[in-house]
Amino acid sequence: MSSIAAILFSVLAAWALLNGLLFLAQPRMLFFPSTTLEATPRDWGLDYRDLAIHTEDGIRLHGWFIPAATTGARRVLLFFHGNAGNIAHRGASVAIFHRLGLDILLLDYRGYGRSEGAPSEAGLYRDSRAAWRWLTVDQGIAPAHIVLFGRSLGGIVAAHLAAEVQPGGLILESTFSSARDLADTLFPLLSRAIVLPFRLDAAGALHQVRCPVLVLHSPDDEIIPYALGRRLFAAAPEPKGFVVLRDGHNDGFLRSQPGYEQALDQYLASLPPDPY
């Protein structure tokens, strides 16, 4: 073997080894589930129903249905959380949506909280479909009465579901446009040398969405670059809106009060008449 061939072989072997290691490691780099529920809605002063929802591939998911404070809820919010923790860590967000007069379905993905299975990209989408079926088939709720909400990774889940069904609205908070865009932004030199095991393409999914979209993002987000939130907004169909948040990825919605809640209220009021 010539010296040039040996060098090329070594480079290719190193590339293959790097991609193999990263491919195996990336699920653990993306998903950070907690299986301990540190609170329930009752600890937040809210009534709730404890749910077991089954997916198309036989996984049992755990969730909570939190009714609005009064009868005749404004809408139903299907809430998809981020990549860490579980539904027990979403009390601050639930309180906001509860004040806005919404019924709330809060679901843990497979491998999170008390849900069975192990997380994966395909699993996220199956889990979202199971929650949608529970609302629309089991509970008989009209699709137009349901608003999908996703924060961070949950925004990817919400966007993909919205592309498949016809919800009344879609809210994406602190979400990135795609896994490739995120890799290119954070690791511009390395990203093109590695094979990504995830697509997580929210921007692509938005091309199929046919409901009003609200995107919220902070220029100070230290985890998901603001530019990717703007890219996501650019991919969304009309009618759409963009809200600039303040401060970091995990607390921006709290630091942006009361404007955050007011923006959500205005968005909900702007949705087409609800036939439910």
Side-chain angles (χ1 to χ4, degrees), residues 235-259:
E238 295 287 356
K240 60 184 176 180
F242 190 92
V243 176
V244 179
L245 302 179
R246 297 193 303 271
D247 290 318
H249 183 76
N250 291 315
D251 62 356
F253 73 102
L254 292 173
R255 299 284 188 176
S256 300
Q257 288 282 50

Side-chain angles (χ1 to χ4, degrees), residues 4 6 22 39 44-45 89 93-94 102 105 122 128 131 163 190 193 220 229 237 256 263 268:
I4 294 178
L22 287 175
W44 308 332
H89 302 120
S93 283
V94 167
L102 301 168
L105 174 55
S128 70
L190 181 62
D220 303 317
S256 300
L268 292 169

Side-chain angles (χ1 to χ4, degrees), residues 24-252:
L24 293 174
Q26 283 183 82
R28 292 190 295 274
M29 296 167 62
L30 176 64
F31 301 113
F32 298 94
S34 170
T35 57
T36 301
L37 295 183
E38 299 172 355
T40 71
R42 188 159 292 118
D43 297 308
W44 308 332
L46 302 175
D47 293 329
Y48 74 105
R49 289 174 58 190
D50 205 59
L51 304 177
I53 298 175
H54 292 83
T55 68
E56 61 197 34
D57 58 340
I59 298 295
R60 188 182 66 170
L61 305 176
H62 176 246
W64 293 326
F65 186 80
I66 304 169
T70 59
T71 56
R74 187 177 189 179
R75 302 266 176 168
V76 176
L77 186 84
L78 177 48
F79 188 115
F80 297 112
H81 63 70
N83 70 329
N86 57 51
I87 55 176
H89 302 120
R90 271 67 200 187
S93 283
V94 167
I96 292 171
F97 288 117
H98 192 257
R99 287 196 298 269
L100 289 170
L102 301 168
D103 288 335
I104 304 163
L105 174 55
L106 193 59
L107 183 80
D108 259 332
Y109 313 122
R110 59 189 66 201
Y112 284 73
R114 294 178 182 166
S115 293
E116 298 175 345
S120 67
E121 181 175 6
L124 293 175
Y125 305 144
R126 292 190 182 103
D127 298 345
S128 70
R129 295 184 201 112
W132 180 262
R133 284 195 303 273
W134 187 85
L135 287 172
T136 58
V137 177
D138 295 353
Q139 305 304 307
I141 297 173
H145 189 62
I146 302 170
V147 175
L148 307 183
F149 171 84
R151 176 175 291 133
S152 192
L153 178 66
I156 307 292
V157 182
H160 273 263
L161 182 60
E164 297 179 4
V165 300
Q166 293 292 329
L170 173 64
I171 304 172
L172 305 175
E173 183 180 317
S174 305
T175 297
F176 52 94
S177 47
S178 71
R180 175 55 67 187
D181 288 346
L182 184 61
D184 288 348
T185 302
L186 298 180
F187 311 105
L189 297 179
L190 181 62
S191 67
R192 290 296 167 176
I194 61 175
V195 177
L196 298 177
F198 307 111
R199 286 176 50 82
L200 298 172
D201 187 4
L206 284 179
H207 295 308
Q208 307 301 319
V209 170
R210 296 294 179 267
C211 67
V213 178
L214 181 66
V215 179
L216 307 95
H217 213 112
S218 171
D220 303 317
D221 193 317
E222 75 283 10
I223 296 177
I224 306 300
Y226 180 70
L228 300 189
R230 296 299 309 186
R231 190 174 299 179
L232 195 63
F233 175 70
E238 295 287 356
K240 60 184 176 180
F242 190 92
V243 176
V244 179
L245 302 179
R246 297 193 303 271
D247 290 318
H249 183 76
N250 291 315
D251 62 356

Side-chain angles (χ1 to χ4, degrees), residues 7-23 180 189-196:
I7 291 172
L8 289 175
F9 179 81
S10 298
V11 169
L12 287 174
W15 177 84
L17 178 61
L18 173 64
N19 273 281
L21 292 173
L22 287 175
F23 190 89
R180 175 55 67 187
L189 297 179
L190 181 62
S191 67
R192 290 296 167 176
I194 61 175
V195 177
L196 298 177

